[in-house]
Amino acid sequence: LSQDELKKMVGYKSVDDYVKSGMVVGLGTGSTAYYAVERLGQLLKDGTLEDIVAIPTSIRTKEQAEELGIPLVTLDTHSKLDVAIDGADEVDPDLNLVKGGGGALFREKIVEVCADKFIVIVDESKLCDGLGPGFPLPVEIVPFCHEHTLRTVAALPSLAGCKPVLRMGSSTNNQNDGDEIAVTDNGNYIVDLHFEEPIKDAVKAGEELKNTVGVVEHGLFCGMTTAVIIAGADGISVKEA
Ligand code: DER
């Protein structure tokens, strides 16, 4: 099975297993979450699901959901969600995550912290023993004096040894494929922190990042995951927190 087929499997299963009629559903961002949104659109269209409202975590997810006719609301009218479904860039054994590879980490986190259940959908390539080396940690920062904030973040004790790279080109991936600074849906910049060794204490690192003036949000999603649906060569497995 290709990686894309694995992503489709977990995307569809997350909606089949966790979304019921009448729910308020958070819609994640990225190539795996794309399939969960597609499945929700299908089940609404064929009448399997009814009376659903959804909250997108990025402009591109909002556009995909609109095309599928999924009724959309925002946190302003719906501060409590029944379930949110999203992908991840890395999942450690405690189900802590690195997210933000697609540049949507702020809107993802503000939505997903409001969900009773947060279901993470990944192919097995995202599993790791420790967060950091497998995928650089995205941190959203304000544009004002961003070099100063980049240096300040890189010097944080819990992030010792990281190499900060200001994301260039498209904000939706960290390929740095352009000569313009990438800008998020919220008008901010992203610094991707590259690590040789795993982050020792992800919770502490997250706290230090949030306490740094100039940092809007970071891609460490700790203690938020309800369950991870993992598609691998030998089938689908579910790990619950
Ligand atoms: O940017 C994000 O947070 C995405 O959810 C990312 O973590 C996973 O994207 P993928 O499903 O395309 O790998």
CSV table of all heavy atoms in Angstrom, one decimal, residues 108 134 162 199 205:
chain,number,residue,atom,x,y,z
A,108,GLU,N,-4.9,25.0,14.4
A,108,GLU,CA,-5.1,23.7,14.8
A,108,GLU,C,-5.2,23.6,16.3
A,108,GLU,O,-6.1,23.0,16.9
A,108,GLU,CB,-3.9,22.8,14.3
A,108,GLU,CG,-4.0,22.6,12.8
A,108,GLU,CD,-2.8,21.8,12.2
A,108,GLU,OE1,-1.7,21.8,12.9
A,108,GLU,OE2,-2.9,21.2,11.2
A,134,GLY,N,13.3,13.7,14.0
A,134,GLY,CA,12.6,13.2,12.9
A,134,GLY,C,11.9,14.3,12.1
A,134,GLY,O,11.6,14.1,10.9
A,162,CYS,N,19.4,23.2,19.3
A,162,CYS,CA,18.6,23.3,18.1
A,162,CYS,C,19.2,24.3,17.1
A,162,CYS,O,19.9,25.2,17.4
A,162,CYS,CB,17.2,23.7,18.4
A,162,CYS,SG,16.9,25.5,18.7
A,199,ILE,N,14.2,16.1,22.0
A,199,ILE,CA,13.9,17.1,23.0
A,199,ILE,C,13.7,16.3,24.3
A,199,ILE,O,12.8,15.4,24.4
A,199,ILE,CB,12.6,17.9,22.6
A,199,ILE,CG1,12.9,18.6,21.3
A,199,ILE,CG2,12.2,18.8,23.7
A,199,ILE,CD1,11.6,19.2,20.7
A,205,ALA,N,9.7,22.4,27.3
A,205,ALA,CA,10.1,23.2,26.1
A,205,ALA,C,8.9,24.0,25.6
A,205,ALA,O,9.0,25.2,25.3
A,205,ALA,CB,10.5,22.2,25.0
